[in-house]
Amino acid sequence: MNHLKNSSSPYLLQHAHQPVDWYPWGEEALQKAVEEDKLIIISVGYSTCHWCHVMAHETFDDDSVAAFMNENFICIKVDREERPDIDQVYMRAVQMMTGQGGWPLNCVALPDGRPIWGGTYFPKDRWVASLSKILEVRKDDPASVIDYASKLQEGMQISSTLVASEDPVPMDTELFHVMRHNWSRRWDTTEGGPNKAPKFPLPNNYQFLLRYGIQFEDSAALNQTKLTLDAMFKGGLYDHVGGGFTRYSTDAQWRIPHFEKMLYDNGQLLELYANAYKVWKDENYEHVMRQTIGFLNREMKAENGLFYSALDADSEGEEGKFYVWTTGEIKSVLGDDFDRFAELTDWNGRAHWEDENHVILIHPKNTPTLPEWTKWMSLLSAKRDERIRPSTDTKLLSAWNALAISGMIESALALQDNNLKSECIELGNLYYTSFIEGNHVWHAYGENGGYIKGFADDYALSIRLFLKLNTISGNEIWLQRAEEITESALNLFGNPDSPLLWYTSSSHEELVAKSQETEDNVIPSANGLMARNLFQLARALGKSEWEERAQAMTELVIPQAESYPESYTEWAQCALDMHGPFREVALVGENGSDLAFEMGATYHPSALILSSDTKSNEPPFESRFIPGETFIYVCEDRRCQLPVRSIEEAQALIPVKIEDQ
């Protein structure tokens, strides 16, 4: 066994028996590289990554390749999900060197960690040839290698730091229309999603488009949103047998998925379908929410009640083997119902994958609420349980758990499910005791408690979750905790030269470059999330300095959003909050949380709903508690309407439509 044998990461443990003398990232490996003056191979991946598995088997399991690597390099394996900070640094380097990135990510660095070469997947022969060439160049012309590393490091730092635009972009209605127009040129108006393949679900994109369509009464935007949501759950992206979404579609029709299932996708998609259900009351969306929550509780829940990170795409060495079906297998399970099933799934058309294998789809004209569909999926689920399951990545990550619990909260609100509400409050308490220590957030939690200090997105998503927990619980403690964690984040991640936060805190180790995460990816950007948190908390707590900071952050980044809005939809939502109208709603009294829960069944994209069931000194609730009464206070920018008693009266005070200016 190599030096990975005691790792907490399932991904690193997958490589612990390889002949490559892998080290985890740490002082031992980095110091050894300096002492022996050896280049470092930094190989980054994650446990459910199919091509990481392929390169591992083809290349890193090969004794001759391993011997070559061990003799000439210090080899470090990194789990990108445990150490997103390291992944960010070397991914940016590879993207600057090659114009593209992905996983597996393989980078060669000088003994001091500065990158000099990299790429993604390499076949064995090309990998060895490339490494040999690098050794040759360093031996023959070491000065040029050092010079290149210095210039690349400088470029990495510059590229990750935003400076103010000479032409500020006003956050008026024209901005949102320009974003929508520029994005619409890349819509697939037939199949939904983007007009390319592969297709990622990117829930945050459609949260913004749904909100834009509602607030500006844009039917085309709403149609594109619904088209995409319908296509995603009817296609192969969704697991119709067991519930839950896979990571992305490999084709442009949402047919054939990349079969890994990620917690962060399913949490965000739960919230997206919950908001869409509030708008359309589509029974298919209720089916998606309930089945996906069932999947999370059945297949992703750890013994301590938190959620694991992911399920692998592969089982028995084959991608998708657990999920696909042959015609013979379906006939053996469904018997005489096969012809009807084949008709509803386009079995001999779109459902075909490769060889005899098929995925399960829903014909666009049919729904999973048909009685026979439920029966068929139950039979197929029982049959599938006899198969060898994909492996589970058992890491417990704070940001991903926050997304999952947030998605469940929004589902409880949309469905008005009190049992689910109680489950979410219990999960919230478990989240707090596991991932929060004092005013600090742990990135990961293990057998011995928290490990790896939290990054900016861990803090931002915790704050967001705490606000939702206050809404449904009526407990002021969640608002207090959101305020405390925000104060801590500003101190830990603050940059005296910019309103934006660093991704890593002042207590993290120094890497060869720092980053300010501003672009949304599969998870919204840490800075975008934090700007929105700051604005909403400022309005709730009366902290004008937080609102000013949120404004400065958004004004700095929003010019980037005009040309490629898909990467900045969290910022666009923050800008919509700031543009207004935005309402702070406080429901105070013995039935405050019950009314807040009821109010949450309606889509309120431009309101922060908070509740308190008891007397409280927190600013939104202070001096508002009257025994035996419950009042709803609707405010905007520190100006409040007269309190009302009913949901209907309160909702009349919360405008949704934005008037063009």
Side-chain angles (χ1 to χ4, degrees):
M1 298 182 74
N2 53 43
H3 301 272
L4 303 180
K5 61 185 178 182
N6 296 320
S7 299
S8 56
S9 158
Y11 174 67
L12 298 189
L13 291 173
Q14 288 175 358
H15 296 265
H17 294 274
Q18 289 183 321
V20 176
D21 191 21
W22 293 114
Y23 286 80
W25 181 274
E27 186 61 31
E28 181 182 4
L30 299 173
Q31 187 60 38
K32 185 176 177 67
V34 172
E35 291 173 354
E36 298 182 10
D37 191 33
K38 284 186 175 180
L39 296 176
I40 304 171
I41 292 174
I42 301 159
S43 183
V44 185
Y46 55 100
S47 71
T48 62
C49 167
H50 173 71
W51 288 101
C52 298
H53 299 332
V54 173
M55 188 169 178
H57 297 320
E58 290 182 351
T59 303
F60 301 141
D61 281 341
D62 186 281
D63 289 335
S64 62
V65 175
F68 171 73
M69 291 170 64
N70 295 340
E71 180 180 355
N72 296 287
F73 299 89
I74 301 300
C75 304
I76 297 178
K77 260 289 171 192
V78 176
D79 181 335
R80 67 170 291 260
E81 295 163 356
E82 271 198 341
R83 294 300 305 267
D85 55 332
I86 297 171
D87 176 62
Q88 280 187 8
V89 168
Y90 293 102
M91 179 64 75
R92 184 177 303 111
V94 168
Q95 288 172 332
M96 292 182 70
M97 287 186 282
T98 69
Q100 58 186 2
W103 299 277
L105 178 71
N106 292 288
C107 198
V108 175
L110 294 176
D112 61 11
R114 288 181 293 171
I116 58 172
W117 175 87
T120 54
Y121 166 78
F122 291 90
K124 178 175 67 175
D125 293 344
R126 188 153 64 89
W127 173 248
V128 173
S130 298
L131 295 181
S132 299
K133 183 64 176 177
I134 293 165
L135 292 170
E136 180 184 332
V137 172
R138 188 187 185 219
K139 178 181 178 181
D140 294 343
D141 193 1
S144 69
V145 175
I146 293 172
D147 181 61
Y148 179 77
S150 298
K151 290 178 178 176
L152 180 59
Q153 182 186 28
E154 181 182 1
M156 290 164 60
Q157 193 58 66
I158 292 172
S159 71
S160 68
T161 307
L162 276 182
V163 296
S165 171
E166 294 181 0
D167 299 310
V169 174
M171 285 185 280
D172 55 17
T173 55
E174 181 64 21
L175 166 68
F176 307 117
H177 296 330
V178 168
M179 290 181 65
R180 178 256 191 245
H181 171 73
N182 289 342
W183 182 12
S184 68
R185 292 181 294 183
R186 293 183 288 274
W187 292 352
D188 182 338
T189 56
T190 302
E191 301 286 350
N195 57 357
K196 64 177 183 179
K199 286 186 174 182
F200 287 80
L202 299 177
N204 199 61
N205 281 185
Y206 297 98
Q207 293 281 18
F208 166 69
L209 195 60
L210 177 66
R211 178 176 179 178
Y212 175 91
I214 291 291
Q215 294 199 266
F216 289 101
E217 297 184 331
D218 184 330
S219 59
L222 291 174
N223 289 341
Q224 183 66 17
T225 303
K226 194 166 195 314
L227 172 67
T228 302
L229 268 62
D230 290 349
M232 287 195 300
F233 93 81
K234 290 182 178 179
L237 189 79
Y238 187 71
D239 177 6
H240 297 285
V241 173
F245 290 86
T246 54
R247 186 160 175 251
Y248 63 86
S249 171
T250 60
D251 58 273
Q253 291 78 40
W254 303 103
R255 292 173 52 248
I256 308 302
H258 187 46
F259 291 89
E260 64 198 290
K261 291 182 178 178
M262 315 301 293
L263 181 62
Y264 61 75
D265 280 328
N266 283 281
Q268 291 179 94
L269 285 163
L270 272 177
E271 185 164 344
L272 174 60
Y273 279 90
N275 282 331
Y277 181 81
K278 294 175 187 180
V279 173
W280 287 296
K281 294 295 187 286
D282 189 324
E283 62 182 357
N284 293 319
Y285 298 172
E286 176 177 0
H287 171 84
V288 167
M289 285 184 279
R290 293 197 183 281
Q291 193 181 28
T292 298
I293 291 169
F295 153 71
L296 291 177
N297 284 327
R298 185 181 65 253
E299 299 186 40
M300 299 289 280
K301 185 166 279 191
E303 289 184 5
N304 68 358
L306 294 169
F307 292 107
Y308 292 138
S309 294
L311 296 182
D312 207 329
D314 299 5
S315 57
E316 301 181 69
E318 294 182 25
E319 182 182 5
K321 186 170 183 177
F322 182 73
Y323 298 102
V324 298
W325 303 84
T326 65
T327 298
E329 288 172 329
I330 295 290
K331 286 182 175 180
S332 71
V333 175
L334 302 186
D336 293 341
D337 284 350
F338 172 76
D339 289 341
R340 173 66 172 155
F341 170 85
E343 177 187 352
L344 295 181
T345 57
D346 194 13
W347 191 250
N348 294 314
R350 291 163 65 99
H352 182 257
W353 178 31
E354 60 182 21
D355 299 325
E356 296 182 356
N357 294 315
H358 297 68
V359 294
I360 294 178
L361 312 174
I362 297 176
H363 192 281
K365 295 180 181 179
N366 297 287
T367 72
T369 54
L370 296 171
E372 59 263 43
W373 185 269
T374 303
K375 180 187 76 171
W376 296 337
M377 295 306 106
S378 178
L379 292 170
L380 292 173
S381 178
K383 183 64 176 180
R384 198 168 74 175
D385 285 343
E386 299 173 6
R387 299 176 175 177
I388 296 175
R389 303 185 64 80
S391 62
T392 303
D393 187 322
T394 55
K395 289 193 305 294
L396 302 175
L397 302 178
S398 58
W400 297 14
N401 269 270
L403 287 169
I405 301 168
S406 293
M408 293 174 69
I409 289 173
E410 292 298 335
S411 299
L413 290 166
L415 301 172
Q416 290 292 284
D417 186 326
N418 280 289
N419 291 330
L420 183 54
K421 168 188 168 181
S422 299
E423 181 182 345
C424 290
I425 294 172
E426 183 179 341
L427 280 168
N429 288 321
L430 178 60
Y431 180 94
Y432 185 82
T433 57
S434 302
F435 289 116
I436 310 297
E437 186 172 332
N439 294 337
H440 299 281
V441 181
W442 288 106
H443 174 64
Y445 180 84
E447 292 181 359
N448 299 315
Y451 70 99
I452 304 178
K453 295 173 182 177
F455 302 101
D457 52 355
D458 298 314
Y459 280 74
L461 287 165
S462 295
I463 295 162
R464 181 174 173 269
L465 170 62
F466 294 170
L467 291 176
K468 292 180 184 293
L469 285 164
N470 168 264
T471 301
I472 64 169
S473 71
N475 191 337
E476 66 173 12
I477 192 67
W478 292 112
L479 184 58
Q480 294 170 3
R481 289 167 174 173
E483 182 180 6
E484 291 165 358
I485 297 299
T486 301
E487 292 277 13
S488 181
L490 293 175
N491 290 329
L492 286 168
F493 299 93
N495 176 3
D497 300 319
S498 171
L500 298 174
L501 303 181
W502 293 116
Y503 185 73
T504 51
S505 74
S506 55
S507 63
H508 281 101
E509 66 178 292
E510 288 287 334
L511 300 177
V512 297
K514 297 188 76 171
S515 66
Q516 295 173 330
E517 189 185 64
T518 56
E519 291 188 29
D520 297 335
N521 203 292
V522 292
I523 294 175
S525 77
N527 271 293
L529 288 163
M530 189 60 77
R532 201 167 176 207
N533 287 339
L534 285 169
F535 175 80
Q536 295 189 2
L537 280 168
R539 288 293 180 88
L541 302 173
K543 288 180 173 285
S544 58
E545 68 277 14
W546 284 7
E547 184 167 347
E548 290 168 4
R549 178 145 190 181
Q551 188 90 19
M553 295 169 75
T554 308
E555 288 176 349
L556 185 59
V557 177
I558 206 68
Q560 315 291 320
E562 285 189 302
S563 57
Y564 204 79
E566 301 97 307
S567 295
Y568 297 94
T569 47
E570 186 66 26
W571 292 102
Q573 292 224 61
C574 190
L576 278 169
D577 288 351
M578 292 174 180
H579 177 277
F582 185 84
R583 300 291 193 264
E584 308 89 52
V585 184
L587 298 97
V588 186
E590 295 172 358
N591 297 318
S593 62
D594 291 339
L595 286 179
F597 188 69
E598 183 182 342
M599 197 169 183
T602 302
Y603 184 54
H604 292 295
S606 55
L608 174 64
I609 300 173
L610 302 171
S611 71
S612 178
D613 292 340
T614 58
K615 186 176 181 180
S616 169
N617 292 323
E618 287 296 301
F621 316 125
E622 188 176 10
S623 302
R624 289 176 167 174
F625 183 84
I626 300 174
E629 297 278 6
T630 298
F631 285 103
I632 306 172
Y633 298 83
V634 178
C635 308
E636 181 182 12
D637 196 12
R638 304 166 185 87
R639 298 184 304 275
C640 298
Q641 304 283 342
L642 291 173
V644 297
R645 283 186 169 88
S646 72
I647 295 292
E648 293 75 19
E649 290 174 293
Q651 292 186 150
L653 299 175
I654 306 175
V656 175
K657 185 174 184 283
I658 294 177
E659 301 292 342
D660 279 317
Q661 298 173 351

